[in-house]
Amino acid sequence: MNKNRVIETLESLPDEFETETLIEKLLFIEKVEKGIKDVREGKTISLQEAKSQFETKWSKEK
């Protein structure tokens, strides 16, 4: 994240807002930007692999 992104986000808010609102928006933007970066770098898995990992994890926790 860069300063310009923070300023843009801050300017998009009304004059009065809760601090949590700004923090939530910035965290959301950061996560989306990380996801986009991961896709560009090929750090993804197929839907089938994700389902398999999910099923494996949750079946062990029962």
Side-chain angles (χ1 to χ4, degrees), residues 3-41:
K3 190 188 306 187
N4 288 334
R5 176 71 73 195
V6 174
I7 292 169
E8 288 173 7
T9 304
L10 185 58
E11 288 177 344
S12 74
L13 294 170
D15 290 338
E16 298 286 325
F17 62 89
E18 298 288 325
T19 305
E20 291 82 19
T21 302
L22 175 60
I23 292 168
E24 288 171 2
K25 286 182 176 282
L26 292 173
L27 287 172
F28 177 78
I29 291 167
E30 182 178 56
K31 289 178 183 186
V32 169
E33 287 177 347
K34 183 187 179 316
I36 292 169
K37 181 180 176 226
D38 286 348
V39 168
R40 287 183 181 144
E41 293 175 357

